[in-house]
Amino acid sequence: AMLDPDRGLSLTIARVVQRLQGSSLHSQLERQARVSLHKPEIKLESLKEDIKDFLRTSGWEKKLQNAVYSELNVFPLPCHPAAPPEHIKEPLAYMRKAQGSWEKRILKSLNSMCTELSIPLAQKRPVSEQKELLNKWNEMGTDEPDLSLFRPVYAPKDFLEVLMNLRNPNYENGEQPSFRNHLGLIQVPLKVKDISELKEDFSELGLNIGQLGIDDSAQVPPEFFENEHVRVGQKVLAEEDSAAAQQYVRQGCPTALRADLWALILNISNQPEDILYYEQLKSNVIQHDLLVDSLIYKDVKLTASNDDYYFVFEDYLYQVLLCFSRDTSVLEHFTYSSATPPKSYIQGKLGMEEYAVFYPPNVNYNSFILSVAPLCFLYHEPSKLYQIFREMYVRFFFRLHSISSHPSGIVSLCLLFETLLQTHLPQLFYHLREIGAQPLRISFKWMVRAFSGYLATDQLLLLWDRILGYNSLEILAVLAAAVFAFRAVNLMEVTSLAAAEAVLADLSTLKVMPLLQIFLFATVT
């Protein structure tokens, strides 16, 4: 149910106020206002205005604006007040149902692993083990436990199978005229953008606009654009304005400014209370042993140690992921995600709420590792790295692991990718389909991992600049289609899925921005 704009605005304001009221920013603002009462420029007769002026000039108003902007970016627009809470999670009943049964399947897999290996989901560590873990916290990678019995809970292709089987029960096959022509693997009728809408959305990527990541733009000599762009970027940082930073990174981040700009967009300032929170998570890891710890450990070993770029960050990856698996603040995002957090109890305490342990909804840590690893290039302080990752997860990455109808959700991205290919490269699309190499079977893993582990790191960071800049993951589907377009000539010659995969096996030499520009703005529509 849609709201009239004024009603929607007042609901939004009420919700933002409610969410900020319990925050540390709220108590800091109150403290600042009290401190200001002792200043000579604050007069009793104009008290309210004078305090407002003081908060403005001392930079606190900016902090409040950024906090409000951050809330608006993370939480969806309010639905009708009468709408039941599950509609806020996901408006389509069949999507909610599919997500529910996918979660059950994951949990069942976890539980059967516990039974097979006779290991509880959660237990307290003996004191000696706690001490040992504390001592080697910064070098967990040196450990070599035997994890051969632990298996990944699911692989991307299992998840793709689930998405391929999604159907809207209101349409019998072929009943929906516009959709009958869709010959891809995804068979649900969601509205996705066409290329003209994408051009409009991503207008800052146009051919005549300066970009970081394009070396030979005809319009602007790159070094001239870069120097100017760095100057503007420093100004944006000095202004401390999240909204301005978000607009700025659409043209790419200068390497030296990226860490600070991303933190500003995500409104992460690493305050003392944030550092304390991270330390609490760490002590929770040290005290309790969860089954997922072994899964995380195994995945980091498999992923990072086989990757030339990421193996140096192995210790950071353990720290961030182990803390993330204990972080209950992540549960807040389940109010606007189609997922529901699974719960388990510490051994012997079944049903006692204070012993409940919420399991992170996605136990495919492999994708998590790949979403933390690139951030290690930018942030070297564990608590800050942790907060940036958590914020990226609750804004973006969770959408790649849950079944929903959201435009940035993995189902919509798959459909957008297939639709772009079928519409703009029909010969290639039909050819690959005929030989049993449905394009989505190849591109799915790229999108689910936001291209991490596939692109060279500098290119990946330029891509993620745009995810942050546009507050959307749709660009992943556009890039996936652009890669197929770029390799189309070779792909037209293959005669099997294996051969098509071989043509697309190595993306590490690709330059992201030219590919996106050519596909969006030079494709004949």
Side-chain angles (χ1 to χ4, degrees):
M2 289 311 291
L3 287 168
D4 67 89
D6 293 345
R7 180 67 217 250
L9 184 64
S10 59
L11 273 174
T12 303
I13 292 170
R15 191 189 59 205
V16 170
V17 168
Q18 184 197 355
R19 288 192 42 86
L20 291 178
Q21 252 167 352
S23 69
S24 63
L25 177 64
H26 184 242
S27 46
Q28 285 171 324
L29 283 168
E30 280 186 337
R31 197 177 316 127
Q32 289 299 321
R34 277 201 296 275
V35 167
S36 73
L37 295 175
H38 305 299
K39 294 190 176 299
E41 63 269 28
I42 307 269
K43 307 276 182 286
L44 198 55
E45 55 276 16
S46 52
L47 187 65
K48 199 170 175 179
E49 288 314 308
D50 289 356
I51 290 181
K52 273 189 193 165
D53 284 341
F54 166 74
L55 291 174
R56 191 169 302 124
T57 52
S58 57
W60 284 95
E61 187 186 46
K62 259 291 160 47
K63 288 190 167 72
L64 181 60
Q65 275 173 1
N66 289 343
V68 170
Y69 189 67
S70 174
E71 288 296 326
L72 295 175
N73 260 327
V74 176
F75 286 89
L77 293 169
C79 346
H80 197 280
E86 65 269 19
H87 280 232
I88 302 170
K89 288 168 80 69
E90 165 56 59
L92 300 178
Y94 74 94
M95 288 278 185
R96 290 200 299 273
K97 198 172 154 194
Q99 173 64 23
S101 54
W102 173 237
E103 282 163 9
K104 282 200 187 86
R105 190 174 142 183
I106 291 175
L107 206 56
K108 194 174 161 189
S109 170
L110 268 177
N111 283 323
S112 69
M113 195 161 11
C114 291
T115 315
E116 271 169 51
L117 305 175
S118 48
I119 306 174
L121 271 172
Q123 59 184 342
K124 218 170 160 62
R125 293 186 203 273
V127 177
S128 59
E129 202 180 303
Q130 291 184 31
K131 278 190 184 142
E132 191 187 347
L133 185 55
L134 191 56
N135 290 335
K136 60 168 196 215
W137 181 254
N138 291 317
E139 48 213 41
M140 283 188 265
T142 54
D143 241 21
E144 291 287 342
D146 173 22
L147 299 172
S148 50
L149 296 169
F150 290 89
R151 55 176 188 275
V153 179
Y154 70 91
K157 61 176 193 301
D158 304 325
F159 191 33
L160 176 58
E161 287 300 320
V162 172
L163 304 187
M164 283 162 48
N165 289 318
L166 284 173
R167 295 289 179 276
N168 181 338
N170 301 338
Y171 295 110
E172 279 312 307
N173 282 351
E175 227 179 75
Q176 201 191 358
S178 63
F179 200 71
R180 196 179 309 149
N181 318 331
H182 182 76
L183 299 171
L185 298 173
I186 299 295
Q187 290 295 320
V188 285
L190 297 176
K191 183 175 169 1
V192 293
K193 291 174 182 155
D194 61 27
I195 214 150
S196 56
E197 292 169 298
L198 291 167
K199 275 182 181 167
E200 203 172 306
D201 283 359
F202 295 117
S203 59
E204 292 86 350
L205 307 182
L207 297 167
N208 51 357
I209 292 177
Q211 294 291 332
L212 288 187
I214 296 224
D215 307 329
D216 46 0
S217 161
Q219 269 55 31
V220 192
E223 56 286 356
F224 171 76
F225 167 72
E226 256 171 66
N227 297 339
E228 180 56 16
H229 195 55
V230 168
R231 201 183 59 75
V232 175
Q234 288 163 333
K235 211 172 142 192
V236 167
L237 282 173
E239 283 291 304
E240 296 195 340
D241 181 332
S242 299
Q246 188 164 34
Q247 181 61 43
Y248 171 85
V249 304
R250 292 177 173 190
Q251 289 170 272
C253 278
T255 308
L257 307 181
R258 183 175 277 121
D260 291 338
L261 284 162
W262 284 17
L264 178 55
I265 294 168
L266 298 168
N267 199 28
I268 299 289
S269 51
N270 210 22
Q271 297 293 324
E273 64 269 20
D274 300 319
I275 298 170
L276 185 68
Y277 184 71
Y278 174 77
E279 289 300 323
Q280 285 168 340
L281 293 173
K282 175 178 161 179
S283 76
N284 191 321
V285 174
I286 284 165
Q287 288 169 27
H288 295 103
D289 183 6
L290 303 188
L291 168 77
V292 287
D293 297 354
S294 301
L295 298 176
I296 289 173
Y297 216 91
K298 182 160 187 168
D299 267 337
V300 170
K301 277 275 181 257
L302 289 173
T303 309
S305 36
N306 294 333
D307 190 300
D308 299 346
Y309 288 114
Y310 297 155
F311 77 95
V312 289
F313 301 125
E314 199 180 343
D315 297 319
Y316 277 147
L317 297 175
Y318 291 123
Q319 292 171 16
V320 168
L321 291 166
L322 288 168
C323 288
F324 186 67
S325 68
R326 310 308 199 267
D327 192 342
T328 50
S329 77
V330 176
L331 299 174
E332 272 194 346
H333 98 272
F334 288 110
T335 51
Y336 61 93
S337 148
S338 60
T340 305
K343 205 191 267 189
S344 105
Y345 293 89
I346 286 179
Q347 202 178 11
K349 308 281 185 186
L350 190 65
M352 293 163 72
E353 281 310 307
E354 65 273 30
Y355 291 101
V357 181
F358 282 97
Y359 258 68
N362 177 3
V363 260
N364 186 10
Y365 290 100
N366 186 282
S367 319
F368 280 174
I369 291 165
L370 290 167
S371 38
V372 182
L375 302 173
C376 299
F377 283 98
L378 304 181
Y379 304 98
H380 306 123
E381 202 274 299
S383 77
K384 182 135 189 207
L385 168 65
Y386 179 73
Q387 289 167 68
I388 298 276
F389 166 66
R390 184 179 70 190
E391 197 58 31
M392 290 285 279
Y393 177 80
V394 299
R395 282 196 193 196
F396 305 113
F397 296 138
F398 81 91
R399 299 202 182 280
L400 299 173
H401 309 293
S402 45
I403 300 171
S404 79
S405 58
H406 191 279
S408 276
I410 190 65
V411 185
S412 297
L413 298 184
C414 291
L415 190 55
L416 176 57
F417 163 77
E418 292 193 321
T419 309
L420 287 171
L421 271 195
Q422 191 178 334
T423 313
H424 299 287
L425 294 158
Q427 277 181 296
L428 176 65
F429 185 83
Y430 291 119
H431 168 66
L432 291 172
R433 192 170 167 265
E434 285 307 295
I435 61 165
Q438 276 275 19
L440 184 60
R441 289 199 183 276
I442 300 171
S443 66
F444 183 73
K445 57 187 180 299
W446 305 339
M447 294 191 287
V448 125
R449 294 175 177 156
F451 280 90
S452 177
Y454 298 103
L455 295 171
T457 303
D458 63 323
Q459 296 301 308
L460 183 73
L461 296 172
L462 287 165
L463 174 66
W464 286 13
D465 285 341
R466 275 69 180 193
I467 290 177
L468 284 155
Y470 290 101
N471 197 36
S472 156
L473 293 166
E474 287 161 310
I475 203 158
L476 297 175
V478 179
L479 179 59
V483 171
F484 274 76
F486 180 64
R487 297 263 166 96
V489 174
N490 306 58
L491 288 169
M492 284 303 288
E493 293 174 359
V494 302
T495 52
S496 67
L497 175 61
E501 281 179 328
V503 169
L504 295 165
D506 182 10
L507 309 186
S508 64
T509 56
L510 296 183
K511 295 270 182 275
V512 164
M513 295 320 299
L515 281 183
L516 285 168
Q517 265 194 346
I518 291 164
F519 186 78
L520 280 173
F521 296 96
T523 301
V524 183
T525 50

